[in-house]
Amino acid sequence: MSKRIVIALGGNALGNGPDEQFAAARNTAKAIADLIEEGHQVVISHGNGPQVGMIHLAMGELNAKEPDKYPPTPLPICGAMSQGYIGFDLQNTLRTELLDRGVNKEVVTLITQVVVDAGDPAFQKPTKPIGSFMSHEEALAVEAEGIYAVTEDAGRGWRRVVASPKPQRIVEIGLIEAMVNEGYIVIACGGGGIPVIQKGNQLEGVAAVIDKDYASCRLAKDLDADYLIILTAVEKAAIHYGKADQQWLSDISIAEAEKYIAEGHFAPGSMLPKMEAAVDFAKSKSGRRALITLLEKARDGVAGRTGTAIAG
């Protein structure tokens, strides 16, 4: 039976450079084409962690050293660039894969803006490291000059840190829905979407990063999807991860998932946002299911053969 499925790809799964990204996109296209070939409607979102970092380094940090010659590129524009960069590879490799299978469907990437609340508490406590590493002395100088906030990142050095506000509204959702209804395969909300604040009729980009799992959940709810598939580096989520009593999770209820979240089983910035987004989607409407699994297991997961599935 045909399902409407939103698939959230991880940015790290797409490699650290153009060649790696293209190879990863070809592999991704095969798994997504399997679902399309079975008759499912598929909408794709993706992360952009390594990619937006590279763009920010090249056009933000390095340009800042010669601002009169090369004006530094603001983070929201770097995010827009990453959407086009990643979307270009995804839409072309998926189009090729589908045509090779005799499936004639158009694939389109939409530069997507996502409204956030200017009063979101995340702006008072930035948590998302971006950009290159600095020494402690460099970090102190940057902070003293009020250029931006910095944080120590897992013992590896100091980095710029920005807010990660929750998505409130997808600006282009009407257009996304119209294209999906017409049978197009849409790539949207790349990197969680470009965070913008509404000021009258003006949408103003802000230096922040929206978690792509939360944005994908918002997208799936707005499109009235049947499935939200969050792809990650493991076949299933687990409790007591990495310990002797580790337990892989298969079919679990919303109540069970919320209990495990409350008990602190999932790491912030890793599995926690995936589980929270999955629960949010599953509980938003009767019959909706969320799945966390590997890319190559997506089709088996929809068929109920693997993955961590969450439903009411």
Side-chain angles (χ1 to χ4, degrees):
M1 185 176 176
S2 176
K3 302 289 186 183
R4 178 171 286 189
I5 300 171
V6 170
I7 298 178
L9 302 169
N12 286 307
L14 293 169
N16 291 303
D19 291 340
E20 281 187 22
Q21 179 171 294
F22 184 76
R26 279 199 304 192
N27 185 53
T28 298
K30 295 181 187 299
I32 295 174
D34 286 342
L35 292 170
I36 295 168
E37 205 170 30
E38 290 184 349
H40 299 298
Q41 276 188 327
V42 174
V43 181
I44 303 162
S45 64
H46 60 81
N48 68 345
Q51 296 84 0
V52 76
M54 289 185 290
I55 294 168
H56 181 262
L57 174 61
M59 303 193 69
E61 294 183 41
L62 296 182
N63 282 7
K65 296 178 180 179
E66 296 184 79
D68 294 334
K69 188 175 181 181
Y70 304 109
T73 304
L75 186 59
I77 296 177
C78 294
M81 291 177 175
S82 75
Q83 287 188 11
Y85 166 44
I86 296 168
F88 172 67
D89 279 343
L90 285 175
Q91 74 179 48
N92 278 285
T93 54
L94 183 53
R95 178 180 180 274
T96 299
E97 181 66 27
L98 290 171
L99 288 174
D100 287 347
R101 299 184 187 202
V103 178
N104 188 12
K105 280 186 173 290
E106 296 293 337
V107 187
V108 61
T109 298
L110 185 66
I111 303 301
T112 314
Q113 303 171 95
V114 176
V115 175
V116 298
D117 183 355
D120 191 308
F123 286 108
Q124 303 304 315
K125 191 177 179 181
T127 58
K128 192 74 173 179
I130 63 168
S132 59
F133 289 94
M134 298 173 275
S135 68
H136 192 194
E137 291 73 22
E138 290 172 324
L140 289 174
V142 164
E143 197 163 48
E145 293 175 25
I147 299 173
Y148 45 69
V150 296
T151 188
E152 197 276 329
D153 187 4
R156 298 178 296 175
W158 291 73
R159 299 172 76 188
R160 178 184 181 184
V161 64
V162 298
S164 186
K166 293 293 178 66
Q168 301 295 313
R169 178 172 61 86
I170 299 169
V171 176
E172 292 81 12
I173 191 61
L175 181 55
I176 296 169
E177 185 172 23
M179 289 192 290
V180 172
N181 289 340
E182 286 295 320
Y184 298 122
I185 300 160
V186 183
I187 301 165
C189 291
I194 304 163
V196 295
I197 291 173
Q198 183 96 40
K199 293 187 175 180
N201 290 329
Q202 177 69 39
L203 295 172
E204 182 178 296
V206 291
V209 175
I210 301 170
D211 187 283
K212 61 93 179 167
D213 296 316
Y214 298 143
S216 300
C217 174
R218 178 74 270 163
L219 177 63
K221 290 195 290 187
D222 288 348
L223 292 176
D224 195 21
D226 301 294
Y227 259 96
L228 170 62
I229 301 179
I230 300 176
L231 300 177
T232 186
V234 291
E235 188 169 341
K236 299 179 181 182
I239 57 174
H240 308 294
Y241 186 74
K243 300 177 181 177
D245 56 347
Q246 176 177 299
Q247 178 185 337
W248 296 110
L249 303 175
S250 296
D251 289 315
I252 59 174
S253 67
I254 292 169
E256 287 175 304
E258 289 180 325
K259 174 177 176 288
Y260 296 144
I261 289 170
E263 290 173 349
H265 285 286
F266 310 114
S270 178
M271 188 57 74
L272 179 59
K274 293 172 175 56
M275 290 296 297
E276 289 180 335
V279 168
D280 186 5
F281 177 73
K283 70 190 300 184
S284 62
K285 185 178 178 181
S286 177
R288 288 178 172 170
R289 290 174 66 84
L291 176 71
I292 298 173
T293 194
L294 287 165
L295 169 67
E296 54 268 30
K297 297 290 184 177
R299 180 169 62 173
D300 286 341
V302 171
R305 292 190 287 266
T306 192
T308 299
I310 301 171

